[in-house]
Amino acid sequence: MGLVLHHKALGKAFEVRCLHIPVYDQTPFQALVKLVEDTIRLEHALSPNKPIYLVGESFGGCLALAVAARNPAIDLVLILSNPATSFGRSQLQTLLPILEAMPDGLHVTVPYLLGFIMGDPIKMAMVNIENNLPPTQKIEEFSGNLTAWLLRIPGFTDIFPRETLLWKLKLLKSAASYANSRLHAVKAEVLVLASGKDNMLPSADEAQRLKSSLQDCIVRNFKDNGHTLLLEEDISLLTIIRGTCKYRRSRRHDMVINFIPPSRNEITYAFDQVVGSVRSATGPVMFSTMEDGKIVKGLAGVPDEGPVLLVGYHMLMGIEIYSLVEEFLRKKNILVRGIAHTELLMGSRLESSSSEFSLTDWLKIFGAVPVTAGYLYKLLSTKSHILLYPGGAREALHDKGEEYKLFWPRQQEFVRMAARFEATIVPFGAVGEDDVAELVLDYNDLMKIPIVNDYVTDANRNTIKLRDETSGEVARQELFLPGVLPKIPGRFYYLFGKPIETKGREEFLKDKNNANQLYLQIKSEVERNLNYLIKKREDDPYRSIINRKMYEAIHGTSNDIPAFEP
């Protein structure tokens, strides 16, 4: 039943099969391994170029590792949820002698014990309760779910009599021993999902042990979840697989070919729960420019048909991205594919520094790709709407006094490729960073602090360098976390300039000089958009969050809050 909440979503990307072991079945562990192995080998023979995913929860994690160790030549991806390889250090180890000595009359207490150490009943009762329901209805549904769950606990006694539980625990012990002795032979990709409140197994510690023991393993921690992670609220297995770049249809992973657009539930969750505070605090407002040069509120001036290249200014720490992507989804039903720093999406340094399912994983779910010529080519060829920042990290991590200043390379890097696919280029500006935060420690300040200096230097020593320029405005490529102080929020403003067509100009733009002239024109348009917004925002009566909240209280949050007249 571990995948009961995930079958439907997984079925959109996979052919899903589940292994069922009957309650009274007493097949030894190695025979179970052989059963799964035979199925895997048959599937591999039928489709030798496709990866096979093994999702193992608890005991199933041991089973998946054992099969992978015996079949290193088969392309396997293991997804292990709180694997029971830590059985020897768990509370279950102590339960075995207790069960053996326990009189039959006391066995009825075991289901209650197991019921509460297996998972968080509160989180399981919250499954499928929508966040936008009225509080009274949410409480009513939660109460009904929790009561139904508690009433089922006594039935565990009939499902798992003492002899069955004893067998299962002994099976688990042998499975953990078998899997641990063969970790060195596992060649498969492994993703370990670990619960921080697992009362049955020391899953968080075990995840780190497996990461250091396996050849190709990453970890995602879920600090507020219990042992039955996949049966609790806000956990989508397909979302996790995609966010960690584990979804692929062949041996090679490709973030364009293998991309699955986010579902409606993922969009709602991401913009309500993950970055919802950004929209609430900044009240973003969009303007665009029509073909006749008229500026209008909204995104009507941005073409609906791709390929479209949105080229603009990167605010401090890239905080303008989330509202931009959300607005295109809300107003035009268009998913803007961001081109991000390779280290942000694929860097091993970030992978090792945090193992929570984080904002970086959500960027991948929403289609962000590393900034390479190959990925830009693929996105243009699929007629996507693409978000590009020529200033990159240098612009997003600018120094004090450099807000709204562009740091672009000397030579164009995208114009001729855009022209090859007859893409429309839309220059845009975004302002508001100075209304939400004050930069107090920039790169120069941090490098003057001895310990911090060493940390920044060490952290950037092996990072991926995107450009080979040794001088100029974008020469500095170090990644770091600047020191900022929050302000009482103002507002974010976006202006998309008049679309620039490259269709019919392909031959003209093949010439480097012509391409550079257009590049400078695009840069000038971005600067003009920034200056326009900085000036016009002074006329917005709702620039202050206080005024916006008062408007929301009167008119409701579903209404777009007015701004200045363009």
Side-chain angles (χ1 to χ4, degrees):
M1 295 299 291
L3 288 180
V4 69
L5 300 177
H6 308 274
H7 287 156
K8 186 175 180 180
L10 287 170
K12 297 176 181 178
F14 297 96
E15 177 185 338
V16 182
R17 300 187 185 184
C18 292
L19 171 65
H20 170 63
I21 304 174
V23 171
Y24 294 100
D25 181 270
Q26 293 194 1
T27 304
F29 179 70
Q30 291 193 41
L32 290 175
V33 172
K34 184 68 167 57
L35 175 67
V36 177
E37 183 178 63
D38 290 344
T39 305
I40 295 301
R41 289 179 175 178
L42 176 61
E43 288 299 319
H44 177 65
L46 294 173
S47 303
N49 297 320
K50 291 184 179 180
I52 298 174
Y53 287 69
L54 298 182
V55 179
E57 182 180 35
S58 195
F59 168 78
C62 299
L63 191 54
L65 285 166
V67 172
R70 289 163 56 104
N71 296 274
I74 297 179
D75 185 11
L76 297 176
V77 181
L78 310 188
I79 313 295
L80 311 180
S81 176
N82 297 322
T85 44
S86 61
F87 176 82
R89 308 191 312 277
S90 72
Q91 297 185 60
L92 293 176
Q93 176 81 7
T94 60
L95 187 61
L96 187 57
I98 294 174
L99 268 178
E100 290 178 323
M102 182 179 289
D104 289 337
L106 290 179
H107 175 63
V108 294
T109 63
V110 174
Y112 291 94
L113 173 64
L114 287 177
F116 282 93
I117 69 172
M118 282 179 65
D120 186 338
I122 304 299
K123 284 188 172 293
M124 286 192 278
M126 287 296 293
V127 168
N128 291 334
I129 298 178
E130 297 181 9
N131 286 320
N132 57 358
L133 291 176
T136 53
Q137 188 175 345
K138 288 179 71 172
I139 293 172
E140 183 179 334
E141 290 194 18
F142 166 75
S143 177
N145 290 350
L146 183 59
T147 301
W149 186 84
L150 293 173
L151 288 174
R152 290 192 182 101
I153 291 180
F156 289 177
T157 306
D158 300 326
I159 297 173
F160 290 108
R162 187 178 69 166
E163 291 74 19
T164 299
L165 272 176
L166 279 170
W167 167 254
K168 296 295 183 186
L169 287 172
K170 290 176 181 177
L171 182 66
L172 198 55
K173 183 177 181 179
S174 65
S177 176
Y178 186 99
N180 281 320
S181 67
R182 290 162 174 79
L183 293 180
H184 64 279
V186 176
K187 309 295 183 185
E189 289 182 61
V190 181
L191 168 61
V192 180
L193 313 181
S195 294
K197 294 183 178 179
D198 189 343
N199 296 321
M200 183 175 284
L201 299 169
S203 293
D205 291 340
E206 179 65 5
Q208 296 306 314
R209 185 186 76 88
L210 289 174
K211 183 177 180 179
S212 61
S213 302
L214 295 168
Q215 298 178 29
D216 185 3
C217 178
I218 65 171
V219 172
R220 285 297 179 270
N221 288 316
F222 299 85
K223 60 182 180 181
D224 296 323
N225 293 89
H227 182 71
T228 51
L229 174 68
L230 299 179
L231 287 174
E232 298 179 12
E233 66 164 340
D234 297 337
I235 298 295
S236 168
L237 185 56
L238 182 59
T239 301
I240 295 168
I241 291 171
R242 288 162 46 226
T244 51
C245 287
K246 289 300 179 186
Y247 179 70
R248 53 186 172 85
R249 298 185 180 97
S250 61
R251 283 193 174 272
R252 185 183 177 192
H253 183 270
D254 189 296
M255 298 176 77
V256 174
I257 295 174
N258 295 322
F259 179 67
I260 299 175
S263 66
R264 181 54 53 186
N265 287 339
E266 287 171 336
I267 292 171
T268 300
Y269 181 83
F271 291 118
D272 285 352
Q273 306 296 320
V274 181
V275 294
S277 58
V278 176
R279 165 169 284 277
S280 177
T282 60
V285 58
M286 311 274 170
F287 297 90
S288 60
T289 309
M290 307 301 290
E291 289 189 6
D292 61 2
K294 181 181 179 181
I295 297 175
V296 298
K297 188 180 178 186
L299 298 173
V302 180
D304 294 334
E305 297 296 326
V308 173
L309 198 58
L310 307 173
V311 183
Y313 167 74
H314 222 359
M315 275 200 223
L316 182 65
M317 298 174 67
I319 50 178
E320 81 288 344
I321 294 175
Y322 316 116
S323 296
L324 187 155
V325 172
E326 181 182 8
E327 198 71 6
F328 269 83
L329 280 167
R330 287 177 64 238
K331 296 297 178 61
K332 297 176 81 73
N333 197 30
I334 290 173
L335 179 63
V336 174
R337 304 289 300 272
I339 295 185
H341 196 292
T342 306
E343 195 69 33
L344 180 64
L345 295 179
M346 310 299 291
S348 58
R349 180 174 63 88
L350 291 177
E351 175 62 50
S352 61
S353 65
S354 172
S355 55
E356 298 285 337
F357 194 81
S358 64
L359 193 56
T360 300
D361 296 314
W362 280 104
L363 289 176
K364 299 169 193 172
I365 290 167
F366 279 79
V369 300
V371 56
T372 66
Y375 273 124
L376 178 59
Y377 181 96
K378 290 178 181 179
L379 289 176
L380 287 167
S381 66
T382 56
K383 297 185 177 181
S384 301
H385 281 65
I386 307 161
L387 182 59
L388 178 66
Y389 295 102
R394 176 63 183 91
E395 216 163 72
L397 299 174
H398 61 69
D399 295 333
K400 286 184 285 189
E402 292 180 342
E403 59 269 13
Y404 310 131
K405 180 180 178 181
L406 270 57
F407 292 92
W408 289 20
R410 295 190 186 95
Q411 301 295 319
Q412 67 83 27
E413 298 175 327
F414 59 86
V415 172
R416 289 199 293 170
M417 190 180 292
R420 177 174 180 176
F421 289 94
E422 300 182 341
T424 302
I425 300 173
V426 181
F428 76 92
V431 304
E433 66 171 75
D434 55 336
D435 265 8
V436 298
E438 179 182 356
L439 180 60
V440 293
L441 290 174
D442 61 17
Y443 176 79
N444 298 316
D445 296 324
L446 294 174
M447 296 306 284
K448 294 175 182 176
I449 305 173
I451 297 177
V452 177
N453 180 320
D454 294 338
Y455 176 80
V456 173
T457 302
D458 291 342
N460 282 276
R461 184 166 286 117
N462 297 317
T463 57
I464 300 167
K465 302 300 181 184
L466 302 180
R467 296 186 175 101
D468 59 3
E469 292 196 23
T470 57
S471 63
E473 294 179 329
V474 294
R476 197 185 80 204
Q477 301 178 42
E478 285 79 3
L479 302 179
F480 62 96
L481 191 64
V484 297
L485 287 177
K487 293 180 177 179
I488 297 175
R491 196 172 194 182
F492 282 0
Y493 302 86
Y494 301 74
L495 174 58
F496 296 87
K498 184 178 178 180
I500 300 172
E501 299 282 352
T502 63
K503 185 176 182 180
R505 304 176 68 187
E506 301 95 309
E507 293 299 321
F508 177 76
L509 292 174
K510 280 184 179 180
D511 180 79
K512 287 186 177 181
N513 291 329
N514 293 336
N516 276 323
Q517 286 300 313
L518 181 57
Y519 174 70
L520 293 175
Q521 177 190 339
I522 295 167
K523 182 179 180 182
S524 178
E525 285 293 309
V526 173
E527 292 172 329
R528 189 184 69 82
N529 293 339
L530 290 172
N531 292 331
Y532 175 89
L533 291 173
I534 291 170
K535 179 180 178 181
K536 291 291 289 185
R537 68 177 175 174
E538 300 293 338
D539 300 330
D540 182 8
Y542 298 101
R543 181 177 174 183
S544 166
I545 189 174
I546 297 173
N547 292 346
R548 292 199 302 276
K549 293 304 176 184
M550 290 177 63
Y551 182 92
E552 288 180 358
I554 297 171
H555 300 279
T557 56
S558 61
N559 295 304
D560 286 330
I561 300 173
F564 59 79
E565 286 297 323

